[in-house]
Amino acid sequence: MLMLALESSAKAASAAVFEDGKLLGVTVENSGLTHSRTLLPMAEDLLKNCELKSGDADLFAVAQGPGSFTGVRIGVSAVKGLAWAAQKPACGVSTLGAMAWNGVAAGEGSLICCCMDARRNQVYNALFEVRSGKPERLCEDRAVSVEALLEELQSNDWKPFLVGDGAELCAAAFKKADFDYVLAPENLRHQSAWGVAMAAQEAEFVSGDQLQPVYLRLSQAERERQARLTQN
């Protein structure tokens, strides 16, 4: 099965081409440019370099959230359009579940702590353990304060391997609390379409029109609207 995977849930965007468990190519951009300008051209260039076109893909996969509201929408919309045009299935995977594949490098039995900066001193988080070379989920995706995450890790005597664009935020808080951790190296820290492709191998396939983003919490505009309604 030939798969095109996209990741645009945070500042870094990436695309990967995956066939029968083998990575054919991956491209990453962390320039800060808007994903609406970079994601599809990046994917098209990658396919061209692999001597393929989008219609050759048997499956389109994407990180469907949590993450940046705009970034998630761009990635999901791109895959919905590609899947519809090619009349091929789509697959949405958890951004955190995909990111956990970076943490497999920490070794068997390691605790992977996936952290995405959710602003307001919160992170989108999920915990995984490396078992038989794969990340096994220990909890559901959630939005949690850095302090609450630290307290949970301390109470279970876990030494986490931190990945994600919120890893440095957590590392700073953990260091201040004198709590032991391992910060993933830069090349493993950010979300990657390779992780999306790995996670998609065990995920459910849907049609493009069924694919939906997963945000975990309301956007800032929606929170402000609810606050005004409550105040009124």
Side-chain angles (χ1 to χ4, degrees), residues 124-174:
Y124 296 123
N125 167 259
L127 302 175
F128 300 80
E129 183 180 351
V130 183
R131 300 175 186 165
S132 302
K134 297 168 60 177
E136 294 291 338
R137 183 178 286 274
L138 301 180
C139 70
E140 295 302 312
D141 293 354
R142 57 197 179 170
V144 62
S145 70
V146 175
E147 291 79 9
L149 177 60
L150 173 60
E151 183 178 341
E152 178 182 356
L153 295 172
Q154 286 175 321
S155 65
N156 287 281
D157 197 27
W158 280 331
K159 180 179 178 179
F161 183 80
L162 302 174
V163 299
D165 67 335
E168 290 181 82
L169 174 67
C170 290
F174 294 178

Side-chain angles (χ1 to χ4, degrees), residues 69-232:
F69 286 85
T70 302
V72 169
R73 279 196 296 269
I74 289 170
V76 169
S77 296
V79 164
K80 286 171 76 74
L82 289 167
W84 178 83
Q87 291 297 293
K88 300 289 179 62
C91 177
V93 303
S94 160
T95 305
L96 299 166
M99 191 194 312
W101 279 95
N102 292 6
V104 171
E108 193 70 14
S110 297
L111 178 77
I112 308 167
C113 184
C114 299
C115 307
M116 293 186 68
D117 189 356
R119 310 301 179 191
R120 303 164 68 199
N121 204 39
Q122 286 189 330
V123 288
Y124 296 123
N125 167 259
L127 302 175
F128 300 80
E129 183 180 351
V130 183
R131 300 175 186 165
S132 302
K134 297 168 60 177
E136 294 291 338
R137 183 178 286 274
L138 301 180
C139 70
E140 295 302 312
D141 293 354
R142 57 197 179 170
V144 62
S145 70
V146 175
E147 291 79 9
L149 177 60
L150 173 60
E151 183 178 341
E152 178 182 356
L153 295 172
Q154 286 175 321
S155 65
N156 287 281
D157 197 27
W158 280 331
K159 180 179 178 179
F161 183 80
L162 302 174
V163 299
D165 67 335
E168 290 181 82
L169 174 67
C170 290
F174 294 178
K175 183 177 182 180
K176 186 176 180 180
D178 198 26
F179 178 68
D180 201 11
Y181 64 90
V182 177
L183 181 63
E186 185 73 20
N187 63 311
L188 294 176
R189 202 174 304 162
H190 296 287
Q191 294 86 321
S192 169
W194 168 78
V196 173
M198 294 297 290
Q201 294 182 97
E202 298 181 354
E204 179 183 358
F205 299 171
V206 298
S207 63
D209 62 333
Q210 292 176 302
L211 185 65
Q212 296 295 327
V214 176
Y215 297 126
L216 284 189
R217 71 180 193 189
L218 297 175
S219 68
Q220 181 177 347
E222 290 171 317
R223 291 196 303 270
E224 290 175 351
R225 179 177 178 273
Q226 283 197 352
R228 289 196 301 270
L229 290 173
T230 302
Q231 187 176 23
N232 292 337

